[in-house]
Amino acid sequence: MKHNLKLAALSLAVMASTNAFAQESSEPDYKHWIGLSGMYYNADESRPLSLTENGAYDEGQGLSVEYGFRFTQSWAARIEITDLELDNAAGNTAGDADGEMVGVDAMYFMPDDAWFLFAGVKRQSVGVSTTQGNIGIGKHWDIHESVKLITEVAAYHDFGEDYNDYSLKLGIAVPFGKSTPKAPVDSDNDGVVDGKDQCPMTPAGVRVDATGCSVDNDNDGVMNSVDQCPNTPAGTQVDAMGCAIKDADNDGVVDSKDMCPDTEAGVKVDAKGCTVFDQETVEITLRVLFDNESAVVKMPKDPEISEFAEFMKQYPSTTAVIEGHTSAPGTESYNMDLSERRAANFKEVMVDMYGIDATRLDTVGYGETQLLDTASNAEAHRVNRRISVTVKDTVKVPEEK
């Protein structure tokens, strides 16, 4: 009898595990269930009828009620109460015993609810009260949307007396508390849900096929099926075959049509690839002060003087008139001569130190005739002792993109 029971238990376990792979994938659609099952129970042959009676139990049957709750898709717990009757192994009905078995189980459901494993603790009060640990395997078979068939096989072990019992269970479960279906997830937002996406990390904006993989690996606008240059660098202009169109100066006009192949970067070009120019007025004014009765340029490397010289070099078609001035004290003839020397000395600095062509610079002295400040004090005299020069021109400048 015990041998037959073990074969039956093994068969049920194998049947549950092999049928798991025949089930279609589905998300769990319930969080609670109540079950009612019949149980076949086989007791250890050495388990005594009671502390005072001789003999042992053989097998029995029971009626089980359970309530289960699923915490997550995989994990659940249940409470189970079983009305259990065990038979006297000697066949004497007077030795049969009724009682109950109460316990809790932790349950782990395999993916798609293919089958589940469970383990827990049971308190059995039949003849001799005992506390047992139990493990088992089972499955909830879909019969109807609101009804499931329960099949389980379990093993029990009494750690105190070292008894080993077995049971088979067949019953009906009623699930309730349906969970809200989750919308399909599309992690890379390419329009293909994760369950079908064979390329789950596609960069944003890349076109994909039905499997979620790029149809244009180098993202040049040419489909992989016709792209003869599948690894074109990003941003490269390509032809209908996906190969780069040469544009040496990167101005947007291909070399075969570019009449100005060395266009400066960042400027606007016309259809022939040549720079588009605009008219612009450029101007710079410089004022340099002098000590009293001095024509010496004290700081010829002053940043403002250097900037003026660079401006002259940047616009080589420009010319300038250097104007010399003095303050009011002194005779008119002395001041006129001093102003001319100041202008001449500044021109010499421009030519000798900065390399400006002398023909681009003229000088003139105004003496005390063009005072900036007519007051008769030290500050007025200081600002009037000066040279001033203004350069202004209208030039063509490239338009920026």
Side-chain angles (χ1 to χ4, degrees), residues 15-44:
M15 181 177 63
S17 60
T18 54
N19 274 277
F21 297 99
Q23 300 297 308
E24 294 183 358
S25 296
S26 62
E27 293 288 335
D29 57 358
Y30 63 95
K31 292 186 177 180
H32 311 266
W33 76 91
I34 295 177
L36 180 65
S37 305
M39 178 182 289
Y40 170 81
Y41 195 93
N42 190 277
D44 192 299

Side-chain angles (χ1 to χ4, degrees), residues 76-105:
R78 72 176 174 191
I79 301 173
E80 185 178 37
I81 302 175
T82 303
D83 182 12
L84 186 63
E85 179 181 344
L86 296 181
D87 300 333
N88 190 333
N92 180 4
T93 58
D96 294 350
D98 292 330
E100 63 181 14
M101 182 169 62
V102 180
V104 295
D105 290 312

Side-chain angles (χ1 to χ4, degrees), residues 323 325-326 366-373 384 386:
E323 300 176 350
H325 301 273
T326 68
Y366 288 101
E368 58 185 270
T369 61
Q370 295 183 4
L371 299 177
L372 291 179
D373 190 340
N384 286 327
R386 71 193 189 281

Side-chain angles (χ1 to χ4, degrees), residues 130-133 157-163:
T130 179
T131 300
Q132 302 170 312
H157 180 77
D158 185 319
F159 295 100
E161 301 296 335
D162 203 27
Y163 302 141

